[in-house]
């Protein structure tokens, strides 16, 4: 692949968009390669994904403006669908996906981060939906996901004004869960960059998630996602069904038996994903 790198570290898969010279902007090839990468994730061994961008300047600076500039109406719709299909695949991917936002997350970059379950960022991150300044709407789910993630009023303000926001404001409005800065020693020398701290935190969180019972984690993702799309009575039925399903797993039997076993010397074994 030219624009996607995929590395597996333990039970965590790291997907890196590697189109650094264009600030990791999403052209059709990047979207196709991302789609193929997701199709090839080994769900028997990988239990959480981290998505990031190459370099220390940009996560994803949007959809490719050059590619979009000459599209016709039907080509525009097709490009929107291509992005939406991949982003929806990420959003509904069976295992959790953490976006490690290491710089610009503009337009399609903000939108792809919102298709992930959790967003963490470095302190140089910039979020925004600049599309109306280019004569288009946020077409990779931005009008829908930003309104659901923050609030309709805040989403409308950001989208209508096309104003970019920095990491601290993204944190304040709940768009990101945490912001990471560089670490320094007593003399003020940088001992770890913001991006290194971001990736370390994302990997730590992903590894922590990967240690929990995988079927239970997957069912939580499904319950939250599907429940948010329906009324509360139906949502609770979704939850009950996914809760009940856990009682058919070895991991539930082992997890509860381990808790109830009073032998304090015992060591907890990894969950088996069955
Ligand atoms: N598309 C294509 N190329 C890009 C993009 C992009 N979105 N962003 C940056 N690049 C390229 C630049 O053209 C430049 O290339 P080159 O070196 O060949 O000239 C290279 O990346 C480096 O960029 P800059 O020189 O501009 O770097 P700066 O540090 O000066 O600026 C910015 C960084 C502020 C991020 C600036 O690059 C910028 O404003 N980029 C565009 C941001 C933007 O508007 N993003 C939204 C795009 S629209 C979108 O995402 C719509 C999504 C929905 C699509 C629906 C389809 C129907």
């Amino acid at each position: 692949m030219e624009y996607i790198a995929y590395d597996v570290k333990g039970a965590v898969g790291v997907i890196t968009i590697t189109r650094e010279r264009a600030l990791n902007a999403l052209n059709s090839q990047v979207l196709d390669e991302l789609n193929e990468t997701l199709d090839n994730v080994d769900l028997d061994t990988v239990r959480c994904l981290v998505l990031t961008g190459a370099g220390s300047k940009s996560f994803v600076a949007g959809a490719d403006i050059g590619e979009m500039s000459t599209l016709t109406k039907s080509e525009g719709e097709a490009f929107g669908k291509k992005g939406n299909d991949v982003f929806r695949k990420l959003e509904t991917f069976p295992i959790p996906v953490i976006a490690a936002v290491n710089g610009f997350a503009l337009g399609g970059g903000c939108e792809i981060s919102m298709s992930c379950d959790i967003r963490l960022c470095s302190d140089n991150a910039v979020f925004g939906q600049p599309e109306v300044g280019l004569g288009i709407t946020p077409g990779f789910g931005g009008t829908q996901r930003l309104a659901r993630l923050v609030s309709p009023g805040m989403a409308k303000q950001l989208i209508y004004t096309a104003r970019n926001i920095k990491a601290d404001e993204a944190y304040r409005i709940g768009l990101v869960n945490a912001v990471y800065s560089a670490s320094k020693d007593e003399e003020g020398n940088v001992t770890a960059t913001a991006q290194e701290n971001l990736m370390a935190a994302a990997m730590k969180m992903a590894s922590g998630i990967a240690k929990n019972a995988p079927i239970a984690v997957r069912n939580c993702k499904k319950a939250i996602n599907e429940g948010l799309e329906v009324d509360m009575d139906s949502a609770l039925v979704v939850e009950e069904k996914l809760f009940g399903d856990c009682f058919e797993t070895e991991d539930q039997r082992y997890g509860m038996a381990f808790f109830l076993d009073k032998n304090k010397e015992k060591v907890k074994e990894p969950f088996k994903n069955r």
Side-chain angles (χ1 to χ4, degrees), residues 49-52 59 97-101 112-113 116-121 198 202:
L49 290 177
V50 173
L51 175 70
T52 194
F59 171 67
V97 186
I98 299 172
V101 179
I112 198 171
S113 80
C116 300
D117 296 274
I118 292 165
R119 281 151 298 288
L120 309 177
C121 74
L198 165 67

Side-chain angles (χ1 to χ4, degrees), residues 49-85:
L49 290 177
V50 173
L51 175 70
T52 194
S56 56
K57 183 172 172 182
S58 180
F59 171 67
V60 170
D64 191 291
I65 299 173
E67 181 173 343
M68 286 187 295
S69 63
T70 55
L71 297 182
T72 61
K73 174 177 155 59
S74 61
E75 288 167 344
E77 278 177 23
F79 189 59
K81 178 162 167 41
K82 186 188 273 283
N84 275 337
D85 287 352

